[in-house]
Amino acid sequence: MERFHPASPESIIKALSDLGYVAEEDLAIVLFLVLTLRKPLLLEGPPGVGKTEVGLALSGLLKAPLIRLQCYEGLDLNQAVYEWNYQKQLLSIKLLESSGSSLRDKEDLIFSEEYILKRPLLQAITQADQSPVLLIDEIDRADEEFEAFLLELLSAFQLSIPEIGTVKATHKPYVILTSNRTRELSDALKRRCLYHWIDFPDFDKEMRIVEKKLPGIEEKLLKQVVGFVQKLRSRELAKQPGISETLDWAESLMTLGYRALDQKTLDHTLGIILKSNEDIKMIREEGIESLV
Amino acid sequence: MYTQAYSARSISSGMVGFFRYLRSHGFLIGLRETTEALEVAHTSLVRDKHRLKTALAALCCTSREELALFDRLFAAYWDTSPMDLAERKNQVTVRGQVRSKINTSLVLLGRGKGTGKEEEEATSVSGANAEERLRETDFSKIREIDEKPLEQLAERLFREFAVKMRRKLKATRKPGKVHLARTVRKSIESGGDPLKLFYTTRKLKKRRLVILLDVSGSMDKYSFYLLRFIYALKQEFSNLEAFVFSTRLISITRALRNMKLDSVLREVSHFASHWSGGTRIGECLRDFNRQYSKYVLHGSPAVIILSDGLETGNPVLLGSEMIKIRRRSKVLIWLNPLKGMKDYQPLAGGMKAALPSVDEFRAAHNLKSLLELEDLLTHV
């Protein structure tokens, strides 16, 4: 398959726009670098600004498979890299009992690739025909040991499996890491990555995003919704509404048949954008009109 | 070393000079980044200044703070032209900035007239140095311009600290060894083949933490930050119990769970101002022992008392109540902000009476001293 190779950031912006993703010039430049330098990209920013979406969009752009690893506390190699298929090994031993092959042969067989359950990271470097996009989501949630383990993958694009040896990438994956900054990542990891900070979109950009995703929305409602969310974000909230909240809210309003924001509408649907009881109470008490 | 781009002859040498300039400002840039930057210089990105900046920033920066600094340095390096400024003068200032480290070490060696203290007041550096300085600033001696950055730094560090502590203290989720007896017994189902492996699991042990914070007038400056510290810990430890006291004791565990930090701070300061006039640590601890210890001190948790130990009540009572708490806790830690002062001796009546029951007596006057609690709490 022909590999997509953009000549400039503009072509990335355009291609992404065709896919329904609104990209700013800065992000396009960074993605351009990812494709040129083949370096992993670390995206940081508040929750809900669309960091994960970048991975999805890139995979759409390259028409490459997306392999996603969601990190969490206690994530270990068994879930991230590989695991031996113990049951299959055991059954094979049973079947081989009467075959008369030597112990050595049996060992080689049951510790061959066929008996490995590939988890995301191993999948990412053993793709047969093209470079996949590897999305390592919320890396800050994983433990520090795991982060250290990633270093080998991110710089040399290879992994070590004790029983088999080093597995080199057949096609270098495009790697995107996201982090919500609940803890500082190690310098070693950061130095292996390109860095980009994504912030909440400004009014115009958010308008364009909503319009792109919900083409049928009426101009007036669109302006009100985005304006309201933008104002909310400037407030001290326990949980700031992200872009997906804006989209959900706009879509709900459309589905419910509202054509403009008013007190009643807000009362009914405030829970879609504000997810913390304290925030809802605070905004209700202050009166909603001031924000419309 | 070039201090501005115009003194370089080619884009490559300009780039190399720029990277040296970044390095001198604390950026961690290796050969690899330099090579990659030169690669970037051969793409179309180099034709547009904004694009080049974005691309280089992605290569060189590792945090949002660095991005901001990068912006300034980029402008300083690439955007100055010899026509705009008197060349010589400008170069001198930039050089001066870069060399500032060397100068300070000279001062410390005794060539300058200043002592360490003057040094501390005179510095207004940016980046990592500023953070280092803030970490060591006594909470009560914070200058007004430092308040905001210190608060932000404290919030970030406290949160990281809390996450780290929780991970360390959490009962491990990793399975233990294969439980042979159970595996063999269960293998009978599958005709003797141990298809399912069973592991021994370690018993979950809940770690508990009880914190008592003094919010009396004498602790004013400190309790503001200490409360933030407790708040951050509470976000990660569900079984943390917290109390504040001055002349009376109240539990703030629920407030910490349900309210935002600002509201907690407001409530507590309201509480503290209402019962001003001295600190009755002994009486408060007695109330604690009577009312709460049954619920809070079971299973011997770690107990931390944050107070300056300036008791206006009866020191003897304080001593005896401390013994009671000590008996029911695994470890009793007293953090005293005054201990950060030079020559401090725990001679005040209250502190003296309490000390025999205290396992660890430490300072808590700046961020650094609080973050050093890590080793202590890990080994509880």
Side-chain angles (χ1 to χ4, degrees), chain B residues 175-194:
Chain B
K177 292 179 179 159
V178 173
H179 193 309
L180 271 183
R182 199 156 170 228
T183 306
V184 170
R185 193 164 64 238
K186 288 279 180 183
S187 73
I188 296 167
E189 288 172 10
S190 48
D193 294 328

Side-chain angles (χ1 to χ4, degrees), chain A residues 10 25-26 86 94 195 199, chain B residues 36 50-51 58 64 193-194:
Chain A
E10 277 94 24
E25 195 193 8
D26 286 6
Y86 168 73
K94 272 268 166 190
Y195 180 83
D199 226 327
Chain B
E36 281 164 349
H50 174 74
R51 289 191 173 179
R64 197 186 186 191
D193 294 328

Side-chain angles (χ1 to χ4, degrees), chain A residues 245-263:
Chain A
E245 267 94 12
T246 316
L247 287 170
D248 283 349
W249 193 36
E251 197 173 3
S252 324
L253 290 172
M254 281 165 69
T255 319
L256 292 170
Y258 293 118
R259 304 187 60 187
L261 281 185
D262 54 41
Q263 181 74 43

Side-chain angles (χ1 to χ4, degrees), chain B residues 173-235:
Chain B
R173 257 192 241 159
K174 278 185 191 151
K177 292 179 179 159
V178 173
H179 193 309
L180 271 183
R182 199 156 170 228
T183 306
V184 170
R185 193 164 64 238
K186 288 279 180 183
S187 73
I188 296 167
E189 288 172 10
S190 48
D193 294 328
L195 276 184
K196 275 186 193 158
L197 292 181
F198 292 89
Y199 295 91
T200 54
T201 43
R202 285 168 213 163
K203 244 195 176 145
L204 288 172
K205 202 175 161 197
K206 276 194 175 174
R207 302 280 191 156
R208 303 179 57 249
L209 205 54
V210 178
I211 301 184
L212 295 142
L213 171 66
D214 185 347
V215 290
S216 59
S218 55
M219 286 282 288
D220 184 26
K221 285 266 165 87
Y222 297 107
S223 48
F224 177 74
Y225 288 95
L226 296 176
L227 195 59
R228 281 164 180 270
F229 182 63
I230 299 173
Y231 184 82
L233 281 177
K234 178 66 192 169
Q235 303 308 304

Side-chain angles (χ1 to χ4, degrees), chain A residues 103-172:
Chain A
L103 181 65
R104 189 63 206 259
D105 289 343
K106 282 183 199 167
E107 241 178 47
D108 283 348
L109 180 72
I110 62 169
F111 285 109
S112 63
E113 256 183 66
E114 214 181 306
Y115 291 82
I116 283 185
L117 292 173
K118 288 183 185 173
R119 302 294 188 211
L121 294 186
L122 191 59
Q123 275 173 28
I125 61 165
T126 53
Q127 289 287 310
D129 41 306
Q130 71 172 126
S131 295
V133 174
L134 171 63
L135 175 66
I136 302 177
D137 219 359
E138 303 188 319
I139 175 75
D140 50 336
R141 288 192 185 208
D143 302 311
E144 274 156 42
E145 298 88 46
F146 181 73
E147 203 180 293
F149 173 82
L150 274 183
L151 297 180
E152 187 189 4
L153 175 73
L154 294 185
S155 52
F157 295 101
Q158 61 179 37
L159 288 168
S160 302
I161 299 176
E163 294 88 344
I164 290 185
T166 308
V167 182
K168 264 198 173 303
T170 44
H171 295 273
K172 277 188 184 180

